[in-house]
Amino acid sequence: MATENSAVKKSLYTPFNVVVGVIFLVGVVITFLRFTKGLGAVTNLSDNNPWGMWISFDLLCGVALAAGGYTTSAACYVFGLKRYHSAVRPAILTAFLGYSMVVVALLYDVGRPWRLPYPFLVQAGTTSVLFEVGLCVMLYLTTLFVEWLPACFEWLGFQKPRDLIIRITLALTILGVILSTMHQSSLGALYLIVPSKLHPLWYSMYLPVFFFVSSIAAGLSMVIFEGTLSHHYLHGRMDATYLREHDDVVLGFAKGAAMVLALYFMIKVVGIAIDNKWNYLLTGYGAWFLVELLGFVGLPAFLYAIAVREQNLKLAKWTAVLTVLGIILNRFNTSLVAFNWQLPPADRYFPSWMEIAISVYLVTLGLLVFRFIAIRMPIFYEDPRYRQHVPHEGEEEEGPEFTEHKLHRHPQTFGH
Amino acid sequence: MAKGRRLLGWAGILLFSGAASFYGIQAQGEKEPLKAAETERPDLIKIDTLAAYQKLELPPVTFSHDKHTKALRQDKQDCTTCHLVENGKLSLDYMHRKNTRAAALKEIYHANCIRCHMEMAAAGKKTGPPDGLCRDCHNAQPQIAAARLDAGLNQVSHFRHTDPKLVPADQNGKDNCSRCHHEYDAKAKKTFYAQGKEGTCRYCHLAKEKEGVKSLEQAAHLQCVQCHLDLDKRGVKDHGPYDCAGCHGAAAQARVARKNREWVAALPNKEVPRLKRGQPDAVLITHDPKWEEDRPGKPLLMDPVAFDHQAHEKYNDNCRVCHHASMEACEKCHTLIGAKDGEFINFAQAMHSLSSRASCLGCHSGQQAAANCAGCHKYISKSCRPEDASCRQCHLLSAETAIPGGATPSQICALKPPQKTALAEALLQARNLNPGTYALEDLPETVKIKALANRFQPSEFSHRKHLAALLKGIKGNTLAEYFHRDPGAICQGCHHYSPPAKEPPRCSNCHSGENLLARESNRPALLAALHRQCMNCHADMRLEKPAATACSECHQEKKK
Amino acid sequence: MENQFYTLHDFLVYTKFAAYILMGLTLLGFLGFWLFLTGRDEDKEIH
Amino acid sequence: MLRRTFLGLLGAAGVGAALGKPARAAGNQHFTGYPESFGVLFDATRCIGCRSCEAGCNKVNELPPPPEPFDDLSVLKVKRRTHSWTYTVVNRYDIPGAPGPVFKKWQCNHCLEPACASSCFVRAFTKTSQGAVTWDGTVCVGCRYCMIACPFEIPTFEFNEPLTPRIMKCTLCYPLITSGKLTVPGCVGACPVEALVYGKRRDLLRIAHERFHDFPGRYLNHIYGEHEMGGTNWLYLAGVPFRALGMREDLGVVPAPELTSGALAGVPLVAAAWPVLLTGIYAISKRKDKIARQETAQAVARAVAQTQAEAEGKLKKAMTKAEAEKKAAIEREVKKALEEAAKPQSREGE
């Protein structure tokens, strides 16, 4: 980190760099505190509230929002929706960085970071949902890394290994979907063991399903959202294909997200019904639950639908933001707001500014790496030398800055 | 686009309703529960007369009776403002007679209550809610709660009522019992006075009205309150109370109790004379001779019990304590094997049941809850064990009775009533009530307890002082004195589970030395046995000091 | 399976472990089977 | 990895074998915990709130000295919980209606089916056949999921240890008792009134019921821990509702492992079903494309053939026409030549 930090420092004093520089400085200091003085020094965690901001945001939200990776690649390679092809690589990269951030955050959060692999190397607690989560995250992170490698290889110009990986794209994608299904749902299953601590409205035997389904919506929305941002800052790095297909992708994903959100809404209601928890709706917590359900699940579902019906990109993009916020809200509710609800207010948890700072620090780190990679590697454009994307007939298909390259078809490869 | 707008509208409504419910419910969620303790009144009446006819549309009215009587008195009005007079007696109902139709009732209450309130208000007087404010009277969550103590006569109050100066004597001039006591002639449908048959009101006047016989509540209010009112009208200074708080309020009851004490103190021999109802002084409790006649050749062989009826009259406030259903003798209903009248509780159970305050053992074991006794008795099993020791305390051997040459249970059972009474009196006379214990000088002055020698110096247990304290607790309590006659009986409190002896076994004989695994028995180890014996006894005898957690009061820290 | 399990926990530790092993095998096995299944597809796009 | 895990696992699952029990298929049987396990019976009607148990625990476990000395009973006023420096606490409850203050000792309840053990992803927790639930510091990662999972909020964490924080909780003095240093847990040994009794769980249950019988009206007819969360080795008796002693009465009787085993059972299903499903979908979409491609190919071929045929027709016509013209031209030329040849012969003969 320190090197990354100084690297930023060296660069020009643009406001962006200054802000980043400050964040990094603070981040490094707190990191130092954490590993010299312990969690107690930097967090508000207590024996009653062992999990805080870093789990709620970095782990739960992080994983949920990185779901774009498997949704997009599945859409493109498995469901054969080729027109989303240009969205795959950004999504994969986002997911990869997202999961990396999760792991880094865990290094901060767990008591003895270097033991993180113990469950797989030393002693397996197979009855633990957390074991399942850890295993899947580990494997999926690897998968994502491999899925991202081609971009890297193309950048470095390693032809052979790159083709090798491209060949097994389908296998990787399916593996990715399986692993994601498992751990996205298992993150919800983490809380199945605390019926006495999690508020009944949020506790449900369906928790795994809730988390999985909502993660799909989150993934799709994240692709839209993060595509929009990239448009802003990395427009120069995008080729005609990406730009041409972008709107198509947004609306298509919006349609998907709308359906998924509708499903999510329904099973949430069913969850209340099968446990007959209606009466809780007439309490303060119930109201809050309704706000989450109506305002951040029902509403976005509608808005997406409208956006699709009216081909309204702007609305779709803003709805994506709303959805993402909704998922974040849900994860925070499940892990903080509705958790330990039986405790007196004095014993409840609220994150310390240092915890928040570390989260910001890690997100910033992620963004920078994303930028670094996106600027250098073929993420938003296809390197013509490896052009595999079938352009639509009669369309000019030259990225703005690659006119000098001679285009040539690449032999059709697996999964395409 | 128009469609889209409508959808947007829907979405908006969704969100709005969410937000609305949030605030609405938040507000509702924070309703304070009412604190009953703050405002508790003895005169609270829940008016739900209509409930007898139909389902109530509004919550019942919470009505403070004394408030109203006070207000009316200040307004130079009296009870008749609200209560009709039926053949010289105030009706208990509000401005209506029995069997008024529901609609009329509703009208009566509303019209009259509200009218009065309005008038008072018009006259600029402080008054209740006017027309329109339904919920002020029909309040679902009244801020005042009823705190009504049971009223009634105890021995002293009852005797004060027998004073002809207060309650004038009746026609036959002797006494004034007939003023209250009466029997009911079902044929003539009227009440009459039956000399020598007086019982407590509750025998006939039950909790609920039954077959035309008024409920205790109705009877008491019609009889007592009416009488007190009349006395007041006649200008008798010492008329009884007729407002709610006067009988049912804690303060008033305390006042009456004080008055009673003064009154008793003023009596010739400082105690309330016995009731004049021809009850025996002493009773020889035996089987009913009939029971033996029913089973020829099979005598029942139960030794008699001499019962001091006169003494027990003093101990109890009224006859009902033992004569719970009627003034009849126990065996009338509680037969040898039980009968319907006695709810199939047979004679033995009626005498020995621990669960009933009306039985001998039930009442006696209840006495053991007193602070003086609880220290020991709370931990002594009360279930009556077939040991001579305990049974013989009451059941005297027939052979040793005062009948020359002795007798068998059957013979005693067959005696004529007067003979029985005489025998009972003789036996009671012969009783000695001095609690016997071993000569103090034979008992250790102090005992050194070394159980905790590893941590503390041995603690000095003042053995004789404790014994003296226990004896002191017994003194003057006939029950206790009688049952602690045998030497060693008093020691049983601490030296338990072994027959009485001058030198009982050591604690450590039974209580293992160290805190071992709990296995078969529930028996504590020495450490806990000693601590619990002392601590529990001190707690149950309400001895504040030493506190159970104040080690140093009993143990001096070991000097290193 | 040679042991008697006294607690549900011990039982689950054992069975879930087996489940995880089988899961891995399932995935590999399926991949093999898929390749075997599509080995002769004339459609050369699937390798 | 697998091999090592497997060995470690046999170790854990092998407790039964260690006890030399006959082999028994462990199908969907009902698990009743270790029959010979020990526990403690706490009787709130006996506890006098002297904190001797806290002192005893602190002493035998060599925990750091407490902020307030153990003979300072003023701390009972505020509600305390266990921390990494205290395995057990006594709290005082002034309950309206109760004759005096009621005290409750609180510590790890040593569940028959521990939530901590079920939730630990390195199996750092062990339910010993002795009854104690112990923690193994050599594998613990410090994820604190056990603290989340525990319905009694028992495991505590050394938040101020930067790199080697431990999970701290009552051990039922397992190490000390097995090593023979103690015969009963420190707290039980220290209790002056036997509000705590140590013994086999089944004996304790029987003793508890004996007390119900011996002192009618003294207890509520409920042994806390007999069934809560599948049962615990620490049992509680009281004369007031346990609710009033700050104990959860809404925990239910479902043992913790059962709460998650269902969801975990779904995982293999996903692993098995998804590949089939997804490859299926893939194959379908693939096939759609293929058919589409074939159709276009055929269409193209047909078009080509047609145009070719037309072209040939034209050519033929053109050829025949050309032939005819050629012939005509030749004849014309021949005729012309013959005429030329006839002219000079007629001039010589006059």
Side-chain angles (χ1 to χ4, degrees):
Chain A
M1 261 145 259
T3 58
E4 184 69 60
N5 185 15
S6 53
V8 171
K9 279 252 162 335
K10 268 194 244 80
S11 60
L12 300 160
Y13 283 97
T14 67
F16 174 80
N17 290 352
V18 172
V19 173
V20 172
V22 172
I23 292 176
F24 270 49
L25 197 62
V26 176
V28 172
V29 173
I30 299 175
T31 310
F32 177 77
L33 275 179
R34 152 68 183 94
F35 289 104
T36 50
K37 296 262 172 300
L39 283 166
V42 296
T43 67
N44 280 354
L45 297 178
S46 70
D47 288 326
N48 282 332
N49 306 287
W51 280 2
M53 174 89 177
W54 292 344
I55 297 296
S56 304
F57 181 75
D58 300 48
L59 176 62
L60 295 183
C61 298
V63 169
L65 299 185
Y70 78 93
T71 40
T72 318
S73 51
C76 175
Y77 294 134
V78 175
F79 293 75
L81 307 173
K82 297 246 174 42
R83 55 192 226 277
Y84 299 147
H85 179 264
S86 58
V88 170
R89 279 194 171 179
I92 295 282
L93 178 60
T94 322
F96 175 50
L97 294 178
Y99 276 86
S100 315
M101 188 200 81
V102 168
V103 174
V104 177
L106 285 180
L107 294 179
Y108 280 79
D109 188 72
V110 302
R112 311 189 187 202
W114 65 91
R115 285 186 175 179
L116 266 181
Y118 270 31
F120 323 116
L121 300 183
V122 179
Q123 193 161 274
T126 46
T127 54
S128 171
V129 179
L130 200 56
F131 174 81
E132 203 271 348
V133 173
L135 188 61
C136 291
V137 169
M138 183 187 72
L139 293 175
Y140 187 46
L141 187 56
T142 326
T143 314
L144 282 170
F145 177 69
V146 176
E147 284 189 285
W148 164 78
L149 272 180
C152 184
F153 286 153
E154 288 173 18
W155 177 51
L156 300 168
F158 298 166
Q159 172 79 47
K160 281 252 169 309
R162 178 245 175 228
D163 293 353
L164 195 73
I165 297 172
I166 292 293
R167 279 178 203 295
I168 58 167
T169 306
L170 179 61
L172 287 176
T173 308
I174 293 183
L175 183 61
V177 175
I178 295 168
L179 293 171
S180 299
T181 315
M182 289 182 183
H183 71 268
Q184 292 285 7
S185 54
S186 294
L187 281 177
L190 279 180
Y191 289 89
L192 283 177
I193 203 167
V194 288
S196 56
K197 289 184 179 178
L198 184 55
H199 188 284
L201 281 174
W202 279 271
Y203 183 90
S204 159
M205 60 170 81
Y206 285 169
L207 261 174
V209 188
F210 291 162
F211 268 57
F212 174 58
V213 174
S214 58
S215 82
I216 299 176
L220 296 171
S221 305
M222 262 319 262
V223 172
I224 299 176
F225 176 58
E226 158 272 310
T228 318
L229 289 187
S230 316
H231 248 284
H232 255 277
Y233 301 107
L234 297 165
H235 193 287
R237 313 302 305 166
M238 301 172 173
D239 66 1
T241 319
Y242 181 91
L243 294 174
R244 187 181 55 243
E245 293 185 349
H246 180 66
D247 299 355
D248 202 8
V249 171
V250 170
L251 290 178
F253 277 30
K255 189 179 266 170
M259 289 303 289
V260 174
L261 280 172
L263 166 65
Y264 183 44
F265 186 92
M266 280 183 276
I267 56 176
K268 281 284 251 192
V269 175
V270 174
I272 298 297
I274 56 168
D275 295 343
N276 193 27
K277 289 170 178 166
W278 301 105
N279 55 326
Y280 285 100
L281 291 177
L282 298 178
T283 64
Y285 274 105
W288 186 234
F289 178 82
L290 286 175
V291 169
E292 181 196 319
L293 186 61
L294 300 178
F296 292 91
V297 180
L299 182 58
F302 265 105
L303 296 182
Y304 266 138
I306 295 161
V308 172
R309 291 159 53 90
E310 294 167 3
Q311 304 283 302
N312 182 339
L313 283 174
K314 207 164 169 40
L315 179 57
K317 290 173 177 175
W318 280 112
T319 314
V321 178
L322 180 62
T323 315
V324 169
L325 288 178
I327 302 302
I328 293 177
L329 177 67
N330 168 261
R331 299 305 193 254
F332 268 92
N333 280 345
T334 312
S335 58
L336 289 184
V337 179
F339 187 78
N340 269 343
W341 69 297
Q342 80 284 359
L343 289 182
D347 296 352
R348 298 298 301 276
Y349 163 89
F350 191 83
S352 73
W353 70 268
M354 290 196 266
E355 294 176 78
I356 300 172
I358 283 292
S359 297
V360 174
Y361 168 63
L362 292 177
V363 173
T364 323
L365 201 61
L367 287 177
L368 282 187
V369 180
F370 185 88
R371 186 152 155 279
F372 176 87
I373 295 177
I375 288 176
R376 286 164 182 72
M377 303 182 188
I379 302 300
F380 293 102
Y381 61 87
E382 290 185 289
D383 188 330
R385 286 166 297 166
Y386 303 100
R387 168 85 64 176
Q388 28 176 306
H389 176 63
V390 190
H392 303 215
E393 271 66 16
E395 284 179 353
E396 176 46 51
E397 54 188 53
E398 291 212 354
E401 59 266 8
F402 298 107
T403 34
E404 74 279 2
H405 286 297
K406 186 85 201 69
L407 305 181
H408 60 83
R409 283 246 175 292
H410 187 274
Q412 287 287 358
T413 48
F414 180 54
H416 202 81
Chain B
M1 195 57 209
K3 260 219 185 71
R5 292 218 177 290
R6 207 165 69 243
L7 288 174
L8 256 174
W10 275 111
I13 290 166
L14 269 179
L15 184 57
F16 173 76
S17 55
S21 59
F22 182 59
Y23 290 113
I25 291 156
Q26 277 297 62
Q28 199 187 17
E30 290 152 3
K31 181 157 275 169
E32 279 296 314
L34 79 151
K35 293 177 210 64
E38 284 173 4
T39 56
E40 289 179 330
R41 299 179 58 94
D43 66 331
L44 215 62
I45 296 176
K46 187 144 68 60
I47 302 179
D48 55 358
T49 325
L50 275 182
Y53 302 78
Q54 67 198 43
K55 192 170 176 305
L56 293 180
E57 299 157 14
L58 288 171
V61 173
T62 340
F63 176 84
S64 296
H65 192 275
D66 285 355
K67 264 194 192 165
H68 288 76
T69 39
K70 190 147 156 287
L72 288 173
R73 205 177 294 122
Q74 288 165 351
D75 205 38
K76 301 278 172 299
Q77 305 186 50
D78 64 357
C79 313
T80 53
T81 315
C82 300
H83 295 282
L84 306 176
V85 178
E86 295 173 287
N87 48 47
K89 289 190 168 194
L90 282 176
S91 142
L92 295 180
D93 301 315
Y94 175 66
M95 302 193 74
H96 66 87
R97 298 200 160 71
K98 283 259 158 295
N99 321 326
T100 318
R101 276 168 45 255
L105 262 179
K106 195 172 183 180
E107 183 50 28
I108 288 169
Y109 274 103
H110 283 146
N112 296 306
C113 297
I114 296 169
R115 176 181 45 72
C116 187
H117 285 176
M118 303 292 253
E119 287 170 5
M120 300 278 273
K125 302 198 182 74
K126 190 167 170 299
T127 180
D131 200 354
L133 299 178
C134 312
R135 296 277 171 186
D136 284 16
C137 297
H138 295 279
N139 186 349
Q141 290 185 330
Q143 287 303 311
I144 42 177
R148 194 179 303 119
L149 302 172
D150 288 345
L153 297 182
N154 65 2
Q155 219 172 9
V156 187
S157 321
H158 178 270
F159 194 76
R160 287 174 57 195
H161 279 80
T162 61
D163 178 358
K165 283 198 295 303
L166 275 181
V167 183
D170 53 15
Q171 290 75 8
N172 52 30
K174 305 197 349 285
D175 49 34
N176 58 7
C177 304
S178 64
R179 291 283 175 197
C180 305
H181 290 282
H182 56 257
E183 298 283 299
Y184 184 64
D185 180 345
K187 271 193 235 58
K189 294 221 171 343
K190 58 193 282 297
T191 62
F192 64 95
Y193 172 59
Q195 178 102 39
K197 286 243 177 299
E198 297 88 350
T200 74
C201 319
R202 287 174 176 79
Y203 288 159
C204 306
H205 297 288
L206 309 173
K208 287 254 166 296
E209 187 170 353
K210 188 174 170 214
E211 294 149 10
V213 180
K214 294 194 169 57
S215 73
L216 180 67
E217 187 187 348
Q218 295 166 323
H221 286 98
L222 284 171
Q223 195 86 5
C224 309
V225 176
Q226 184 66 47
C227 183
H228 290 176
L229 278 168
D230 298 345
L231 287 172
D232 191 17
K233 276 216 195 66
R234 292 218 317 279
V236 176
K237 196 188 127 294
D238 204 357
H239 68 79
Y242 47 76
D243 57 342
C244 308
C247 296
H248 298 288
Q253 291 196 353
R255 207 179 322 116
V256 171
R258 200 176 337 105
K259 225 162 171 185
N260 285 348
R261 276 197 300 283
E262 294 161 5
W263 196 84
V264 172
L267 284 171
N269 47 6
K270 304 256 176 302
E271 70 179 25
V272 184
R274 293 179 66 192
L275 294 168
K276 301 199 267 349
R277 198 184 173 281
Q279 70 272 33
D281 301 357
V283 179
L284 192 71
I285 302 177
T286 65
H287 281 134
D288 187 330
K290 288 207 302 313
W291 299 345
E292 293 220 323
E293 290 160 17
D294 296 347
R295 21 183 312 138
K298 297 207 208 67
L300 288 166
L301 303 174
M302 176 50 73
D303 291 318
V305 175
F307 173 69
D308 190 341
H309 194 283
Q310 179 171 6
H312 282 80
E313 287 171 32
K314 281 207 211 67
Y315 305 146
N316 298 302
D317 242 359
N318 56 52
C319 313
R320 241 182 319 123
V321 175
C322 304
H323 295 277
H324 51 92
S326 80
M327 283 297 190
E328 303 290 349
C330 312
E331 63 267 29
K332 185 87 176 0
C333 308
H334 299 294
T335 60
L336 180 64
I337 53 167
K340 185 169 184 311
D341 298 347
E343 289 166 355
F344 299 104
I345 297 170
N346 71 15
F347 193 61
Q349 289 163 342
M351 296 297 118
H352 298 115
S353 159
L354 279 170
S355 57
S356 157
R357 283 285 272 104
S359 85
C360 306
L361 260 58
C363 186
H364 286 173
S365 64
Q367 301 299 315
Q368 294 174 336
N372 283 344
C373 320
C376 300
H377 283 285
K378 189 172 178 184
Y379 299 92
I380 294 175
S381 168
K382 289 179 183 57
S383 59
C384 67
R385 275 163 280 100
E387 297 165 2
D388 289 351
S390 58
C391 302
R392 286 277 168 239
Q393 300 282 356
C394 305
H395 292 273
L396 308 161
L397 268 172
S398 305
E400 295 171 2
T401 51
I403 291 180
T408 66
S410 310
Q411 288 167 334
I412 293 179
C413 174
L415 292 171
K416 300 267 162 299
Q419 296 171 292
K420 278 189 181 170
T421 317
L423 177 53
E425 277 163 357
L427 290 169
L428 291 173
Q429 286 301 326
R431 259 180 3 188
N432 105 60
L433 295 182
N434 304 332
T437 179
Y438 307 105
L440 282 180
E441 54 274 22
D442 297 352
L443 304 174
E445 172 65 45
T446 64
V447 176
K448 271 193 171 20
I449 301 175
K450 307 191 190 61
L452 273 176
N454 56 347
R455 274 186 58 200
F456 298 97
Q457 295 175 4
S459 52
E460 293 271 326
F461 173 69
S462 54
H463 184 262
R464 276 193 214 165
K465 259 178 71 189
H466 279 76
L467 177 60
L470 293 177
L471 288 167
K472 190 158 150 293
I474 289 169
K475 199 97 202 82
N477 177 336
T478 325
L479 177 68
E481 284 174 340
Y482 180 66
F483 282 97
H484 289 87
R485 282 168 307 160
D486 304 349
I490 189 118
C491 311
Q492 293 278 293
C494 302
H495 302 280
H496 47 222
Y497 301 127
S498 68
K502 189 186 279 182
E503 283 174 348
R506 301 212 163 285
C507 308
S508 51
N509 288 3
C510 305
H511 296 285
S512 58
E514 80 176 277
N515 206 336
L516 290 174
L517 290 188
R519 285 201 189 77
E520 297 319 313
S521 81
N522 221 336
R523 177 185 306 168
L526 189 57
L527 178 75
L530 291 167
H531 275 128
R532 289 236 297 281
Q533 195 72 28
C534 302
M535 289 174 180
N536 290 339
C537 185
H538 277 241
D540 298 325
M541 296 183 85
R542 315 238 168 76
L543 306 169
E544 265 58 27
K545 300 183 89 58
T549 48
C551 312
S552 56
E553 303 247 348
C554 305
H555 310 275
Q556 274 77 32
E557 281 294 344
K558 205 165 195 169
K559 290 178 212 64
K560 298 285 178 299
Chain C
M1 220 60 64
E2 263 54 63
N3 321 310
Q4 177 187 9
F5 296 103
Y6 285 99
T7 63
L8 175 62
H9 175 59
D10 289 342
F11 176 67
L12 288 177
V13 167
Y14 197 93
T15 53
K16 295 291 179 201
F17 179 75
Y20 276 108
I21 301 287
L22 289 173
M23 237 182 286
L25 297 179
T26 313
L27 289 176
L28 294 177
F30 181 82
L31 181 58
F33 188 69
W34 169 258
L35 293 178
F36 173 69
L37 181 70
T38 58
R40 293 211 184 151
D41 285 6
E42 74 292 339
D43 180 350
K44 282 285 154 283
E45 289 186 355
I46 301 168
H47 304 283
Chain D
M1 154 196 169
L2 293 188
R3 206 174 132 278
R4 294 188 62 178
T5 325
F6 189 66
L7 294 178
L9 183 117
L10 280 183
V15 180
L19 292 178
K21 288 290 172 207
R24 166 134 67 98
N28 53 355
Q29 70 196 35
H30 171 59
F31 299 92
T32 52
Y34 293 99
E36 301 297 306
S37 68
F38 286 80
V40 176
L41 175 66
F42 170 78
D43 189 333
T45 67
R46 291 184 175 184
C47 180
I48 58 172
C50 63
R51 294 186 70 200
S52 304
C53 48
E54 289 185 28
C57 173
N58 177 283
K59 182 151 151 292
V60 299
N61 291 300
E62 289 152 1
L63 296 172
E68 319 85 356
F70 287 113
D71 51 14
D72 169 10
L73 300 183
S74 62
V75 299
L76 294 174
K77 282 195 220 70
V78 292
K79 190 175 181 307
R80 302 174 300 151
R81 64 152 290 145
T82 59
H83 287 296
S84 54
W85 58 90
T86 50
Y87 288 170
T88 181
V89 291
V90 176
N91 277 315
R92 169 197 173 126
Y93 297 87
D94 297 297
I95 294 155
V102 184
F103 302 94
K104 179 200 70 182
K105 177 186 183 295
W106 194 240
Q107 70 301 306
C108 175
N109 287 323
H110 299 278
C111 308
L112 298 181
E113 299 288 354
C116 50
S118 166
S119 66
C120 181
F121 70 165
V122 281
R123 261 193 298 115
F125 290 94
T126 315
K127 177 70 178 177
T128 65
S129 57
Q130 291 280 306
V133 177
T134 58
W135 171 82
D136 171 9
T138 62
V139 290
C140 177
V141 182
C143 71
R144 308 191 295 287
Y145 187 34
C146 48
M147 301 167 69
I148 292 281
C150 177
F152 304 108
E153 291 158 359
I154 285 306
T156 64
F157 185 76
E158 295 181 314
F159 282 102
N160 294 326
E161 279 288 328
L163 294 175
T164 60
R166 294 170 297 170
I167 294 288
M168 305 293 274
K169 73 166 198 66
C170 160
T171 62
L172 206 61
C173 288
Y174 178 76
L176 297 164
I177 290 173
T178 43
S179 67
K181 290 200 189 67
L182 290 176
T183 57
V184 301
C187 53
V188 177
C191 182
V193 293
E194 272 182 41
L196 297 166
V197 179
Y198 181 71
K200 294 228 172 106
R201 186 172 186 267
R202 47 177 158 82
D203 293 336
L204 294 179
L205 283 172
R206 203 197 58 253
I207 287 172
H209 285 290
E210 281 169 19
R211 288 187 195 171
F212 289 162
H213 171 270
D214 292 352
F215 304 103
R218 177 173 181 156
Y219 298 97
L220 295 181
N221 197 349
H222 175 189
I223 304 174
Y224 192 95
E226 186 176 13
H227 301 301
E228 274 73 10
M229 289 304 287
T232 62
N233 281 59
W234 209 288
L235 304 167
Y236 298 79
L237 298 180
V240 297
F242 292 104
R243 213 177 306 105
L245 297 178
M247 295 157 81
R248 302 286 300 270
E249 284 183 337
D250 56 354
L251 294 178
V253 300
V254 178
E258 242 167 66
L259 292 168
T260 49
S261 61
L264 286 174
V267 171
L269 285 187
V270 174
W274 257 219
V276 181
L277 206 64
L278 295 175
T279 42
I281 295 170
Y282 170 77
I284 293 168
S285 70
K286 203 75 203 137
R287 179 158 174 66
K288 279 228 233 57
D289 300 355
K290 195 172 144 205
I291 292 170
R293 255 198 312 286
Q294 283 173 343
E295 280 170 351
T296 43
Q298 288 166 354
V300 169
R302 219 177 296 111
V304 170
Q306 195 177 8
T307 41
Q308 260 175 1
E310 287 170 0
E312 275 168 4
K314 276 214 201 83
L315 192 60
K316 217 189 216 111
K317 243 199 235 117
M319 295 285 270
T320 44
K321 191 150 161 276
E323 278 298 305
E325 286 173 352
K326 213 154 146 216
K327 242 204 200 109
I330 293 166
E331 282 169 2
R332 223 175 26 248
E333 290 301 312
V334 170
K335 203 152 153 260
K336 233 190 205 159
L338 290 178
E339 284 171 2
E340 288 292 318
K343 269 185 202 159
Q345 287 171 346
S346 62
R347 247 201 247 135
E348 272 175 23
E350 331 159 45

